Amino acid sequence: MRKIVLLAAAAAMSMGLPAFSGSHGDGPVKAGFVYVGPIGDGGWTYEHHQGLLAVEEHFGDKVETVYQESVPEGADAERAMTQMALQGADIIFTTSFGYMDPTINVAANFPDVKFEHATGYKRADNVSTYSARFYEGRAVQGLIAGKMTKTNKIGYIASFPIPEVIRGINSAYIHAKKANPDVEISVIWVYTWFDPPKEADAAKALIDNGVDVVLQHTDSTAPQAAAAEAGVISFGQASDMSEYAPLPRVSSIIDNWAPYYIARVQAVMDGTWESVDTWDGIGPGMVEIGEITDAVPADVKAEAEALRDAIGSGEYHAFTGPLNKQDGSPWLAEGETADDGTLVGMNFYVEGVTGEIPN
Amino acid sequence: MDLGSINPVLLIAALLLASTPILLAAMGELVVEKSGVLNLGVEGMMIVGAVSGFMAAVESGSPTLGFLAAAAAAAVLALLFGVLTQVLLSNQVATGLGLTLFGLGISSLMGQGYVGIRPPASPRLELPVLSELPVVGPVLFSQHALVYLSLALVLGVWWYLRSTRSGLILRAVGESHEAAHALGYSVLGTRLAAIAFGGALAGLGGACLSLVIVPQWTEGMTAGRGWIALAIVVFGSWRAWRVLLGAYLFGGVSVLQLNLQAAGIAIPVELLSMSPYLITILVLVVISSDKRRAQVNAPNSLGRTFHASG
């Protein structure tokens, strides 16, 4: 029987037909990864690459991986994905929000290749989406930030005005405000995921304007260096950034993609892959909170860890009412929690955040 | 307009520093283009400078050695371009683009073991007495040495091109390499020297990023600043002072828009974000709008291959 399957597969391939999905005989599954920054960014892309390495480690010879770094969001991304698909990739992970439409377009041309798009919301029969509930980690950071700020001004380096980033700002602000009612948040939009000098300049601009806690939603460690020089505190983003611990980096959000990547590659091997939408947080371990350093007072640290555990166990939701939108209109009533639909498309600030979200 | 929490002194200090890498790279490219060579590899030379300077500074503990190493390494890379385009007569545009790709690749290879390390601090240059003056002291007299060096280089390049014999020869080579050759000047020698100089300055600009502004090594950290420098040379119509203006304008508006955002000024962020590009282009287009003068300034032999046997 096995021989027949192999012969059929060989025949299919020799006729130039794509091998039918779900059965790969003994050949390795080929997994492709498209990265928005360099692996060495020390943040977002670095962690995705750790996921790739975990896949290699887990499957050994049964898997073959290929990746491309620093692929711009847009037309170039389609080229990179198409190239991977033509090279015989069975599953392609596209790891940035801006790859959403390119992923959908390329997936339509390669119905037998599985696509996995990170942080987006468009799916197809062969396109899954996956993301992490980073906002859960932002809640913990917000609490620490609110407790630690002396100037009552915290700063946030934001990349693009997309729901994922806006959720982070809101979550951080809500929990900073709970910890410290006088807190204000300044947001700078830099319109890039990775531009170390610009990220550094943004951090300096925040600090020059009186901010003493810097949160970032960009991928490099440049804001950490700026925070270190100015003597203010910061948080690792996407990766632990522990080289900046114990100060300025007092904690971090770590993206742990490895279990998901392994599970999805396994599904391709087993022929059980189907299009799903995964959105995991602290509980399942996709979002980890990096060690809270001793620069944070013990009681604040304990409070932050309690918040982390409450979110992880599902006992507490980071968006729990009463909460109003920025314009003062009610959003969540006392005790009500936000539904995923609203969170996925979040395009408003909560009450108290100043400034406008760019379109 | 209420500028809220923006402190103008800090702002000006920040803009001087933020503009310096682009100014250095653009000054280098200005000299290269004045000699008639178009080197599109500025980005590649900058990033090689950034990584080499970082490595040397970390290993030796001396930022000064870092800057020297950055200039030397980028000059060597530039000379590679020089040999390919001037001796082996390859196409300048293609070779320059190749140089950028090569630079980006080799820099990430070289920097493998240097991610996440902090470099030795590059101290600000405190000028005695002057840096203690109120207001202007911290702005004008307490900057990093590279800021002063870049300004001195603008003066030097302007004077060199305008008033020295060797500067005149360099311009002659850039205007008409045949004529310069017929007069007995070494086209090859002049151009190689200009290319090496341009590389050294691009390297210094890169090291300014990795040792002073960021300061750390991250792959791809120049993030397009080499291309901005190239654009500023063209918009600055090949004149040192306009290039200075362009670099400061770009750097200044970049820093200003971040500060306006931090201070919560109610200007649409989209507008602020594109303002550095928009304003720099507009101003430089306006001041170089006199077509005749712009043409006079553009080196006539720019990008053209020269072969002495012809």
Side-chain angles (χ1 to χ4, degrees), chain A residues 6 24 56 102 111 115 124 127 132 160 180 193 216 252 254 303 330 354:
Chain A
L6 278 176
H24 291 273
E56 282 182 346
F115 290 83
V127 181
F160 294 96
N180 174 357
W193 290 111
Q216 63 175 105
S252 62
I254 307 168
E303 220 178 305
T354 51

Side-chain angles (χ1 to χ4, degrees), chain B residues 35-48:
Chain B
S35 80
V37 178
L38 181 65
N39 184 353
L40 296 181
V42 180
E43 180 83 359
M45 300 186 297
M46 270 184 103
I47 193 128
V48 165

Side-chain angles (χ1 to χ4, degrees), chain A residues 286-337:
Chain A
M286 198 180 259
V287 174
E288 291 173 3
I289 303 295
E291 194 217 346
I292 300 171
T293 64
D294 291 339
V296 178
D299 56 327
V300 177
K301 182 175 173 174
E303 220 178 305
E305 285 173 346
L307 178 64
R308 174 196 68 194
D309 296 340
I311 293 174
S313 67
E315 194 181 311
Y316 172 76
H317 191 289
F319 291 101
T320 303
L323 284 175
N324 290 342
K325 294 188 181 179
Q326 189 184 30
D327 57 12
S329 63
W331 174 35
L332 296 172
E334 176 83 43
E336 192 186 350
T337 59

Side-chain angles (χ1 to χ4, degrees), chain A residues 274-290:
Chain A
E274 49 186 31
S275 172
V276 292
D277 175 27
T278 305
W279 202 18
D280 285 343
I282 292 178
M286 198 180 259
V287 174
E288 291 173 3
I289 303 295

Side-chain angles (χ1 to χ4, degrees), chain B residues 102-128:
Chain B
F102 176 66
L104 288 170
I106 197 165
S107 65
S108 63
L109 183 70
M110 288 163 72
Q112 287 288 325
Y114 291 87
V115 174
I117 297 179
R118 298 191 199 185
S122 313
R124 286 162 187 269
L125 201 64
E126 303 280 344
L127 302 182

